[in-house]
Amino acid sequence: GAVVSQHPSRVICKSGTSVKIECRSLDFQATTMFWYRQFPKQSLMLMATSNEGSKATYEQGVEKDKFLINHASLTLSTLTVTSAHPEDSSFYICSARDHPGELFFGEGSRLTVL
Amino acid sequence: ELKVEQNPLFLSMQEGKNYTIYCNYSTTSDRLYWYRQDPGKSLESLFVLLSNGAVKQEGRLMASLDTKARLSTLHITAAVHDLSATYFCAVDHTYNTDKLIFGTGTRLQVFP
């Protein structure tokens, strides 16, 4: 079946630096991908919709200047956490739907900001 | 605003027992999903329920959907330790059916 891959799976960075997380659809094209954030022992919260070739659509309360999303190709979306701070530490998960309509989630990326 | 609530939030149950997790959502939705999440891992798809009255079963888990009541249930039969995980239901966003709104999650612990 279709696979969505995320990289890196874990990243540790210093406060104030920027971190990029990649989300790839490995065997299908995805014009739309979604980014979720999950704090420990909490549910998944939708952050934004990544649209190939156009600007991302952010959910209310998500800072678009802090969480930069780029969807430059039909198989790749990136999430960049800019000037990361400890409160940005979280588990970030992307998803995409293939053409028959099945939804796939990436393996997740755990960000720890020191 | 679409809200999805689960109960209980935490469930500790003995092996061999049965229990049901409930998922209530606030507006109409075309699809309801159940996922399993193990600690530190991403989501594993369990069921996709597409219509009123839909029932699906896989092993010791059975999911059902009542769209009129806006309620889905995940029933656990004769629980075993391997079922210990967090279970989430999710529904399609009203206007964008690729966006999912997740429930609060139910953390299940099965003990001997």
Side-chain angles (χ1 to χ4, degrees):
Chain A
V3 175
V4 174
S5 178
Q6 278 184 245
H7 178 81
S9 57
R10 292 178 179 269
V11 56
I12 301 172
C13 70
K14 293 182 179 180
S15 186
T17 61
S18 295
V19 173
K20 181 184 286 187
I21 300 170
E22 294 184 346
C23 177
R24 293 181 184 273
S25 56
L26 295 186
D27 53 3
F28 67 98
Q29 295 182 335
T31 56
T32 305
M33 293 184 177
F34 299 90
W35 288 96
Y36 294 84
R37 179 170 58 183
Q38 185 181 32
F39 291 112
K41 300 191 188 305
Q42 294 189 22
S43 186
L44 280 76
M45 296 298 295
L46 180 64
M47 298 175 65
T49 303
S50 174
N51 303 301
E52 188 270 332
S54 64
K55 292 182 179 179
T57 306
Y58 291 83
E59 296 299 306
Q60 191 173 8
V62 177
E63 299 176 62
K64 58 183 178 182
D65 293 333
K66 168 167 265 310
F67 300 100
L68 299 180
I69 291 173
N70 184 276
H71 196 149
S73 78
L74 287 170
T75 59
L76 174 64
S77 173
T78 60
L79 168 68
T80 301
V81 183
T82 63
S83 186
H85 291 283
E87 57 265 30
D88 299 323
S89 299
S90 188
F91 194 50
Y92 294 87
I93 305 175
C94 68
S95 73
R97 194 183 293 274
D98 69 2
H99 297 301
E102 187 170 354
L103 189 63
F104 295 90
F105 284 86
E107 309 98 323
S109 300
R110 183 164 303 283
L111 170 63
T112 303
V113 184
L114 302 177
Chain B
E1 180 187 351
L2 176 60
K3 291 185 178 180
V4 184
E5 295 182 340
Q6 289 179 234
N7 73 83
L9 298 181
F10 179 75
L11 176 57
S12 181
M13 57 189 299
Q14 194 172 17
E15 282 188 330
K17 299 293 186 182
N18 306 329
Y19 208 83
T20 300
I21 299 171
Y22 297 89
C23 173
N24 291 90
Y25 53 97
S26 60
T27 65
T28 56
S29 179
D30 291 336
R31 285 176 283 196
L32 189 134
Y33 305 78
W34 283 98
Y35 292 96
R36 169 182 171 144
Q37 186 179 38
D38 291 298
K41 303 292 185 181
S42 188
L43 302 177
E44 174 189 350
S45 178
L46 296 175
F47 302 106
V48 181
L49 303 171
L50 300 175
S51 61
N52 185 43
V55 177
K56 290 192 175 181
Q57 183 166 4
E58 181 72 33
R60 301 175 187 273
L61 301 178
M62 183 173 70
S64 66
L65 178 61
D66 181 345
T67 58
K68 294 181 180 179
R70 298 176 186 169
L71 170 68
S72 179
T73 62
L74 180 66
H75 186 74
I76 303 158
T77 302
V80 292
H81 179 71
D82 285 351
L83 290 179
S84 298
T86 299
Y87 293 84
F88 291 97
C89 64
V91 298
D92 285 333
H93 188 278
T94 305
Y95 300 111
N96 184 332
T97 57
D98 280 346
K99 293 166 60 171
L100 294 190
I101 307 300
F102 281 84
T104 44
T106 297
R107 186 174 163 213
L108 171 66
Q109 283 188 342
V110 181
F111 59 92

